[in-house]
Amino acid sequence: MESSELDKTLHKYIDAFLGVPAANDYDESGRRDGLAHFFRDIASSNIAPTALRDESAIIGEMQKRVAGSGRGTRSALQVSRLCGLLQQQNPGFNWWPVLYLLLECSTSAVLPTIAAAPSSYISNHHNRAHGSRYDSRTSPMLPPPQPGLHSQQRHDLGIPRYGTPSAIPHGMSEFAGGNTTALPAQAYSRGELGNSASNAPPPEEQSNAYLHRNLPTYDDVSEAALLQDLIYVLQGIDGTYVHWNSMTSSYTVNPEVKLSRPTRAMVTLLSELGGLTRDIQSYISEVERDGRLFEQSFCTELKVEMSTYYKLVSEIEGRLFKVPRTLRPGESQLGVTLRRMYCWTTEARQKLRLMATAIAKVQEGSGGGTVLSTISTLVDDGDPFIQTFAKRLLKTASAPFNHILVSWVTDGELVDPYKEFFIRERESRRDMFWSEKYTVASDMIPVHISGDMTRKIFQIGRSLNFLRVACDDAQWVAEGGPRTQLTGDISDTSDLEAFVYRSSSMVNERLMSVLRDKFDLMGHIEAIRRYLLFEQGDFALALMEVLENQMDRSGRSVMAHDLSAVLSSATRSSNAQHENPDRLSAIVLTFQEEGTKNRGWNEVTLTYNLTAPLSYVIPRSTMRQYFEVSHFLLRLRRIEHSLHTIWRHQMTESRAYLRSEELQRRRGTARDGDKQADPLRQAMRQSSIACSEMIQFFHQVQRYIALNVIEGAWGEFIESTKEEIDIDSWNDAHSKYVDVIHEVVCGGSGPGFQRNLSGIFETTLRFISAVKELYNEQALSARRAASGAGAPAKENRESLSERLMRLRTSGNLFGSGQAAADPAAEHASQVRSTILRFKEQVKDIMRVLSHNTTSDLQFLVVTIDFNGTYTASA
């Protein structure tokens, strides 16, 4: 019978694996014919599975069978995880045939040894299965007794073990690495491993190992040598054939060593463990040398895991040369094979990869809380293995964080030598002790701590530190402060959150109680409202009167004792004398700008000096706003008081003038000064009406600021602080209260009363000066009319003229300081122009306020122009 092309090809492959048989060895030829017949049946079977070609369906079937075998759902989940890892390795590869083969192999009733043997061996296995003993010594199918020695002798004689190159088909030479010459034979015999003859396997098991013991490996290096090399590589040490490649940052096989593709791939996979070991050990050494606290704690768990890994490597090395008692078909005589080593190190490989990934992410961050955040992301992984391993890492790495956190929330002490905690201490001014001594580093907050919890943790420690340092309440912090038993592990957010919320309420209540009761916080704020914002009328009136008396005196520079005397006099003249001494001592009369050499009464203003610890709680910027508002209100009060003084003087002069006119009319005395008195009387009448209008305008502005602005904001502030709040919330409410007043009065972000009324203030001061000169001129005219003729009168008239000249020269704000030809007409003109300017400015303010949507400001416009005076003249 002629052989087909398939038979010829199969015989070529068989000869390539087993070598060319001897010419007269008919038994060997028969065995090879049986192998060729067996392979031809397999190739021509064309058996195709009837199952649906769906990877998900195959995986589901595998899970069902594993779960049904009694292994439980955990093994079924492991099958799913392993299939997922296969798909991740090569997403584009069709894994369905491989999965189907694994499924069929796991359920096939035929033994693997039968499936791997030719037909002639199947019959022998069938005979043994039916009870007949198989004698290996008489079987023609057995190889020579010492195949290893036989192969070695062939190699020593220079005979190619794998046949001639022409006997190997194209493609097989590529599989063999392109080398078809004789290679060193592997010593797999039990005699070479030092085993006694008594440990030899039964003959029937030796027959099943026929193929494995005669198939070549196509490797320059034996498997035993590679395993010895890999033992070093697993520990990050270079071997004989596998070295560290700094260019690729991995272990690679020496290019001069020829290995088959499967062997090289397996060595590469195992060498990955060595590369991971080198990276992890390098990171541990670096942290031990100059690492910070959180990283050192992280490395502690890494060392534990590496110790476990090294124990595994030690066990593998111990089993390396332990030969098993029996050999299954296809099994090596070595105690450890490449595939066994790969299977035993699968879990260790996954752990090392996780550790390397965590190290890379930790190195990308800035340390501190980012270390915990990096590990926390692994805890949220869906893989149970990764979750368990990451939780173990997180528990050890979070130990320093937990220690710092407990110290902060129980004692208010920040023990953070490497600046790794998310709360930082910085140098600040003494008056900024509360607001700027501690700050939060947002990039250091671990991901398992929420924003609200971060704020409360920051608040607890800062309050405890403030009570201990600023409030002299260290005894309560030590005895009655918050205590926790979570020192072992506070990474559990539920327990941590419950403790933080409970402690926050207790500490805030204590701090607010100390500030209110011991240091009279609300009493001082009330005193600021009544005295700095002039809400206590009798004190404001007394202060204005004393200041006016001082301003009427000589224009010498004001000294510090003058200010103290003025404030003391105003206090004794009002109900402020019954105020708390601590509050009274905080009220200070000072100058608006420090360092000015020529300081007059116009620069005097009122301020309030808080003492510690209240000065630490209330920011300096807030007190500056109080100062600006107080200065504006003091100026407003002084102008209004000056207008009242002018009005009283006008009323007095008006009555005196009417009495003088009546007296002259009764006496029948001729009035020579009528022509000069007519413009004076007309100007005086106009100034009296204008003074009443100015008083009414400033009174309405002052009423609006006092009632609508200050009292309204104060009511909201009191309402918002009735509940139990922390000091930051109280400070926010207080800052809002001050901001509202400052915005209206001084115009924080827009035009306030201070900017709108600055021009009216200047015009009103000019009006007051002009009215004073006008009445001085009227008094001078009256004296001239009543003095009569004569030398004494002339001297007296000259003396009065000189005095009037001096007043005009020093007080004239419009002219050049020289006397005018007609003083009465000049003063009357100044008064008229000032009144017209005042009315125009009031109209401008009314137009600005009328465009505002606030009902209070619109009502202010109505009260200013209640009789339509400004609207009618528009």
Side-chain angles (χ1 to χ4, degrees), residues 271-292:
S271 300
E272 180 190 0
L273 292 168
L276 295 173
T277 302
R278 282 177 63 101
D279 295 341
I280 295 172
Q281 289 293 354
S282 175
Y283 175 75
I284 292 176
S285 301
E286 180 183 354
V287 171
E288 288 180 344
R289 184 174 61 255
D290 52 6
R292 295 186 290 182

Side-chain angles (χ1 to χ4, degrees), residues 100 104 294 415 463 551 601 617 628 644 684 737 767 787:
Y100 182 78
E104 289 298 317
F294 283 24
V415 186
S463 300
M551 292 177 66
W601 289 105
V617 175
E628 293 176 357
H644 279 287
M684 289 169 60
Y737 156 70
F767 171 79
S787 61

Side-chain angles (χ1 to χ4, degrees), residues 849-863:
L849 297 179
S850 62
H851 290 85
N852 196 295
T853 57
T854 306
S855 59
D856 293 340
L857 288 176
Q858 293 180 353
F859 183 72
L860 175 61
V861 174
V862 174
T863 56

Side-chain angles (χ1 to χ4, degrees), residues 576-603:
Q577 59 183 326
H578 306 296
E579 187 62 78
N580 188 310
D582 293 335
R583 302 175 192 174
L584 280 181
S585 61
I587 304 172
V588 178
L589 199 62
T590 183
F591 296 98
Q592 183 182 5
E593 296 182 1
E594 297 292 339
T596 306
K597 293 182 179 180
N598 298 324
R599 296 182 294 189
W601 289 105
N602 291 326
E603 300 174 2

